[in-house]
Amino acid sequence: MAAPALARVLTAAPRALGSPVGGRARCSGVPPGSPLPPAAPPWDAPERARLRAREHKEKRQRQRRERAALGGAGPQVQTAPPKGWTPKTVVEYQHPLDPDGKKATGVALPPAYSPRYVEAAWYSWWERQGLFTPPASVLGGDRVLSLVLPPPNVTGSLHLGHALTVALQDALVRWRRMQGWSVLWVPGTDHAGIATQAVVERWLWQQRGLRRQDLTRSEFLEEVWAWKQRHGDEILRQLRALGASLDWSRCAFTMDPGFSRAVVEAFVRLHKAGLIHRDRRLVTWSCALRSALADVEVEPRALTGPTALRIPGCPQPVTFGVLVTFAYPVEGGDGLELPVATTRPETMLGDVAVAVHPDDPRYRYLHGRHLRHPFTGQLLPVVTDPTVEPARGTGAVKVTPGHSSPDLALARAHGLPLVSVIGDDGTMCPPGGGWLQGIHRFVAREKVVAALAERGLYRGTQDHAMTLPMCSRSGDVIEYLLKSQWFLRCREMAERAREAVTSGRLQLVPKFHEKNWKMWMDNIGDWCLSRQLWWGHRVPAYRVGVPLAGSPPEHPDGLWVVGRSEAEARASAARTLRCPPEELQLQQDPDVLDTWFSSALFPFAALGWPEETPDLQRFYPTNLLETGSDLLFFWVARMVMLGQQLTGCLPFSQVLLHSLVRDTHGRKMSKSLGNVIDPCDIIAGASLQELQERLHHRLLDPHELTVATEGQRRQFPHGIPECGTDALRMALCSHNVHGDDIRLDVGTALSYRHFCNKIWNAVKFVLAALGPNFVPQPPEEMVPQHPMDQWVLSRLVQAVAECGRRMEALEVHGAIAAVHHFWLRSFCDVYLETAKPTLRDPATAAETRRTLLSCAELGLRLLAPFAPFLSEELWQRLPRAPPAPPTLCLAPFPDAARLAHWCCPRVEAQVAAMQEVVRTARALRDVFCLGAARPPVAVRCVAEAQDSLAALGPALQALAQVGPLQLLPQGAEPELGPGWVGAPAGPDTHVYLCLRGLVEPAATQAQLRARSRGLQRRLETLGGTQGATESPPHPGTQQQVAILRSKLARLAQALEALDPPSPPKDPGVRRGDPGSQ
């Protein structure tokens, strides 16, 4: 029979175990078989267990009430603060700065980590030292990293998606800078034409009761520039708060004169190359914004049936997902009719024909006939076209070329007229006016259906699954309107962009984005560049008029010329028309260019293009682009296409596309939901009142404000705790951005604040251990002799190698995990605990101090790219061997090759075996609730392990919190005596603890059974008590069930060890032999 996990050795003299559970150490230092010390007065262990059970029950009831309140049922109950969040004492830096602006590092550190103290003054000092500007001189073999920050909207504010980009880029930038690379990270902001104009228009209406149309164009632009001056620096302040090591001397704004010159130059060159042209086409139009949009700015919304939606400008919700059927009467048909089905009955006023399939037998008799429009009285021809699908709807299609791309192609193929019946503002404008003139298009829908019913032409409705095109910016339903606009032909550029990825010249990380890249490039269409806005880069095109003659006859839409200036355009028109320039009248296109057009030029325009500047020659093309995966086609693809077309080379060779950041419930961050988090609120903390006060300054409409306020109250009932910049950066970097969307919880940042506090206390311990007279040596020169020193430095080498490998692969989450694991699991949890006794031993103290300094100094260098403020604050306090750089920003990043002599797999394996013994011993301590007691321990193991365990004995005792260590040979007859309990620590190792005088069997049994019953009840609620033949627990609770079952098994083993044994059935097995169980 297999031996149970806990050896039953408590059975001899059970009455001797009379001390209370969790009492003080009374066996520490007492060898097995020695007389027991006097027992301390017992206390009521069963009563303690009963009180704990009652507390747990009340806690569970309180949590159920809180969950019900959050779900909207029952009375409102305040939710508990985030786990681990207790108000911290805020310590501010109040010491004078050095003449160069540096913090005083000779003063004592605060007792606990305080982000405000740590992060004060460092960034301004880094800026003053010019650390973020690459050196002007270029040395031979100079390694260069250049990249641009995706320019955020100038009048907006950063959210956590921006903060993720900053944290990832800055980690890579600081890492390369510490490796000695010349690094240029270019900041900038985008003018964000539609977004900025919408914000300013809303502000003008709310504050001054003015609409844009009440002002002249120049007056409105003055208001926008004034708004930019008031609010444009908010983003720059946030970037500095995040610690972004950007070169501010090269900060670009897409409406700056130099950048505007680059935009005009790009347009002119593309026009001369025949890629930009003007055409009258259907464009995707936002009636709420009164502007055309790019196709990628349209969000398709799938509807499975009737769905009511609120549409901007419409007084009541509109139902979509309904197919309306009505009939057109056949002219001269004596009551014949042709039914058609549509989801847009209001557009029937723009019908110019009805199309049927030429082989559809149902309508063959109507070929060549005409239909009478019931409202306009016009005759509509019945045309045949093979693109019509007879099985869809009625098999007859109304042709509305002014509002449907397929209908436009069909109309042009059959020479039909083009009619538009919806205006730019979304109201009806049928030719010749009429009874629907000026009515909102979705209000007109109901009126058209009612009028058809009055005329006896309505044939019913049915549910209809459909995809509704929505404006991603305004939430309006997209209309397709006929407009004369400027278009960019993308086919040839897209082919080159596709080839760049397939050939490997352009690397997309993660690689799965390549499939979507190729598919998008294969199906690309022309890009509509025109936007009907006032804020932005005005189209550098001019319409030419000739006095007394009007437009030239060969240009019915007017002759359009393109130029870098009006004078250049006038000269071009004069050459075309062969007339004197002064006789021409030029009128510049009032439209502006799509914001994404100027953004697509950012990697080279920000460096001075079209001039051949030194920056352009040295830093272009850039090495890397890091941005959100949602911008792959909005921005990345267009940068690649225009970069190759205008500069002849790719703008970057690698693209890291991070996942989208969502809230804890997986919802998209939205101001209207109240779940958008300002990074500075996590850095500095914010009360619920402060959060909601800021909502009222965001210019939301009343309905959005109500929803956002309630959403914020539910998500942050106690506000947001102060976590600090370093904690936020590490929390962001810790997520695998190569995979699924990121669900960021403030609790993650809070846990990294606790990690910062752990590092803070660890370095304070190191400083205290070193003392004021410690003479440092270069850490890399250390040659450790003690096994724990060898182990921790070997673990440090592993962390350095893993961090470097992960950073090279752009897997920042793996790098921060390696650094986090070293600091927390190797240095703080293990080595510092073992260093405390060795520091008291003169024979080992000197080597321990050198090891402590090596770990702390190199560990802070590892941490610096992710937590720059904390690393700098603590690194400045450590003694350093000369010559030392003035700042951690310039300290060399640890190199695994230079530290390879520390790698010691043999010692790592020995310590790993020792740690398994420690885990087993601590598990036994936890089961029996030994508290601060340090019982003797015995380990039975193979002979090969005894030497290493003997050398690691002090470390084992410190980590396991046990007393004297006794090593027993494998297979030998143990002579432990009564009062010992054991458990396996591997296939050939067994651990025993002496519990004599530490527990009272009866009271301990009662406590263990109470704990077992509580765990069993929790297991039953999770459905984890099924038999082997029944279904397993729900996948979402499998991990919890496994943990509970493991705890129950340990308790069962402990109870078995406390029970009196049955007489052995096998006379060959000796009672009390730990190996006989």
Side-chain angles (χ1 to χ4, degrees), residues 305-358:
T307 306
L309 301 176
R310 287 190 172 273
I311 304 300
C314 192
Q316 66 271 346
V318 182
T319 300
F320 298 90
V322 176
L323 193 65
V324 177
T325 303
F326 67 92
Y328 273 118
V330 178
E331 179 68 11
D334 298 329
L336 294 177
E337 63 181 27
L338 180 56
V340 295
T342 179
T343 59
R344 299 292 309 272
E346 68 276 11
T347 63
M348 60 91 64
L349 293 170
D351 289 356
V352 296
V354 174
V356 297
H357 195 279

Side-chain angles (χ1 to χ4, degrees), residues 467-685:
T467 299
L468 197 64
M470 306 291 292
C471 173
S472 61
R473 298 186 177 275
S474 66
D476 197 3
V477 176
I478 288 295
E479 291 294 338
Y480 296 94
L481 303 184
L482 274 171
K483 295 285 182 182
S484 292
Q485 308 276 269
W486 293 97
F487 293 89
L488 175 61
R489 294 187 177 95
C490 298
R491 176 63 60 188
E492 294 180 6
M493 294 188 295
E495 290 175 357
R496 292 197 296 271
R498 188 188 194 282
E499 185 276 333
V501 169
T502 56
S503 67
R505 292 188 298 116
L506 176 62
Q507 180 186 3
L508 302 183
V509 181
K511 194 176 179 64
F512 63 77
H513 288 293
E514 291 183 3
K515 180 180 178 181
N516 291 334
W517 177 273
K518 297 171 186 175
M519 184 181 301
W520 194 76
M521 293 299 176
D522 289 342
N523 296 279
I524 198 168
D526 288 358
W527 176 9
C528 177
L529 299 178
S530 301
R531 295 294 180 269
Q532 289 62 44
L533 305 171
W534 285 355
W535 171 246
H537 298 103
R538 198 164 174 181
V539 177
Y542 301 80
R543 185 172 182 174
V544 181
V546 181
L548 304 178
S551 298
E554 63 272 23
H555 301 283
D557 185 38
L559 172 64
W560 287 87
V561 291
V562 171
R564 297 173 181 82
S565 63
E566 182 176 338
E568 182 178 320
R570 185 179 296 277
S572 174
R575 288 193 299 269
T576 301
L577 298 176
R578 297 177 183 177
C579 65
E582 58 274 8
E583 294 184 5
L584 300 177
Q585 296 177 348
L586 269 63
Q587 182 178 6
Q588 187 173 359
D589 191 331
D591 293 347
V592 300
L593 292 169
D594 183 5
T595 300
W596 293 108
F597 182 79
S598 55
S599 300
L601 312 178
F602 199 85
F604 45 94
L607 297 176
W609 185 89
E611 281 76 28
E612 284 293 327
T613 63
D615 277 356
L616 192 68
Q617 295 174 0
R618 181 182 180 191
F619 296 110
Y620 186 82
T622 62
N623 310 73
L624 172 69
L625 175 73
E626 198 289 326
T627 189
S629 58
D630 56 330
L631 296 181
L632 180 60
F633 305 122
F634 276 101
W635 190 42
V636 179
R638 289 162 170 174
M639 282 190 288
V640 171
M641 290 192 297
L642 292 182
Q644 290 194 108
Q645 178 66 34
L646 295 172
T647 68
C649 59
L650 289 167
F652 30 74
S653 55
Q654 273 188 316
V655 182
L656 173 58
L657 297 157
H658 68 245
S659 310
L660 298 184
V661 179
R662 299 184 179 272
D663 68 8
T664 54
H665 305 290
R667 300 176 303 175
K668 185 177 180 180
M669 297 287 189
S670 169
K671 293 179 181 178
S672 60
L673 291 177
N675 61 354
V676 173
I677 303 176
D678 185 336
C680 291
D681 288 337
I682 298 181
I683 292 172

Side-chain angles (χ1 to χ4, degrees), residues 107-180:
V107 299
L109 288 171
Y113 170 71
S114 177
R116 295 192 197 182
Y117 181 95
V118 170
E119 294 164 15
W122 283 121
Y123 194 92
S124 58
W125 181 67
W126 290 333
E127 274 196 87
R128 291 179 65 175
Q129 298 300 307
L131 301 179
F132 305 154
T133 301
S137 59
V138 181
L139 304 177
D142 186 34
R143 297 174 297 176
V144 174
L145 172 67
S146 60
L147 67 165
V148 298
L149 178 74
N153 294 353
V154 68
T155 59
S157 60
L158 298 185
H159 52 66
L160 287 180
H162 296 114
L164 175 61
T165 295
V166 171
L168 292 172
Q169 287 197 5
D170 196 46
L172 294 167
V173 161
R174 288 177 180 270
W175 168 60
R176 287 302 192 194
R177 192 180 287 123
M178 292 177 71
Q179 288 186 321

Side-chain angles (χ1 to χ4, degrees), residues 782-858:
M782 168 111 186
V783 181
Q785 302 298 323
H786 190 272
M788 286 308 296
D789 297 329
Q790 294 173 334
W791 173 81
V792 74
L793 293 177
S794 184
R795 297 305 302 158
L796 178 56
V797 175
Q798 301 296 332
V800 169
E802 178 69 2
C803 182
R805 184 181 69 82
R806 293 292 194 131
M807 293 293 275
E808 291 285 354
L810 303 181
E811 297 173 356
V812 181
H813 64 284
I816 187 65
V819 177
H820 181 273
H821 189 274
F822 169 76
W823 269 103
L824 194 60
R825 301 302 176 198
S826 299
F827 188 63
C828 294
D829 289 355
V830 177
Y831 185 74
L832 288 188
E833 296 302 318
T834 65
K836 294 172 184 177
T838 58
L839 285 170
R840 294 191 290 268
D841 185 352
T844 58
E847 181 177 332
T848 300
R849 290 191 181 97
R850 290 196 297 272
T851 303
L852 286 171
L853 178 60
S854 296
C855 290
E857 207 271 344
L858 293 173

Side-chain angles (χ1 to χ4, degrees), residues 205 208-217 219 534:
W205 176 251
R208 294 161 58 182
L210 292 175
R211 299 188 183 276
R212 171 168 59 98
Q213 292 76 11
D214 298 330
L215 305 174
T216 64
R217 183 168 187 149
E219 290 173 340
W534 285 355

